[in-house]
Amino acid sequence: QVQLVESGGGLVQAGGSLRLSCVASGSIRSINFMGWYRQAAGKQRELVATITSSTGTNYADSVKGRFIISRDNAKNTAYLQMNSLKPEDTAVYYCNAVVQTYSGRYLQAWGQGTLVTASS
């Protein structure tokens, strides 16, 4: 009923930049929450950044000052601008959203992930 598709991952040199996109589609009345998470090899999935209309933005300490989360409500899209990438940023990045469908149901959806690799 609702799906998220991430894009924009790839291979970059340390210090470089990437912009990730997450497009939500389906029976969406409104999007209450969108966020980015990541999972590196051997580690648990962790919060990177979130954005809501009511609370604004939130960032993990490890990415503050380097990453920027934004959204385009008309396109049901969230972005993650990633600057000054470090090797430790290497991970699969996942989009997450909480949406209200036109049927009235609230759903939490996850994307399939996009791989970001920052090499030194």
Side-chain angles (χ1 to χ4, degrees):
Q1 192 170 13
V2 176
Q3 67 174 8
L4 306 178
V5 179
E6 304 101 331
S7 63
L11 303 176
V12 296
Q13 186 177 171
S17 298
L18 285 173
R19 189 185 71 163
L20 306 184
S21 298
C22 172
V23 180
S25 62
S27 182
I28 300 172
R29 183 178 182 87
S30 62
I31 299 178
N32 298 326
F33 166 92
M34 296 192 80
W36 289 95
Y37 296 74
R38 67 186 182 187
Q39 187 166 16
K43 295 186 177 181
Q44 297 295 313
R45 189 172 299 185
E46 65 177 352
L47 172 73
V48 176
T50 62
I51 185 167
T52 67
S53 296
S54 60
T55 63
T57 57
N58 180 60
Y59 297 92
D61 288 341
S62 59
V63 306
K64 284 182 178 178
R66 298 189 298 119
F67 292 7
I68 302 171
I69 188 171
S70 61
R71 58 184 169 88
D72 186 332
N73 292 334
K75 298 179 179 179
N76 287 334
T77 300
Y79 303 95
L80 185 68
Q81 179 66 46
M82 310 165 68
N83 301 316
S84 301
L85 282 161
K86 303 176 180 179
E88 48 264 47
D89 295 318
T90 296
V92 177
Y93 284 70
Y94 297 91
C95 183
N96 176 248
V98 176
V99 310
Q100 184 182 24
T101 70
Y102 278 100
S103 68
R105 183 180 180 186
Y106 287 88
L107 297 175
Q108 183 177 76
W110 288 91
Q112 293 296 309
T114 185
L115 177 64
V116 172
T117 302
S119 62
S120 60

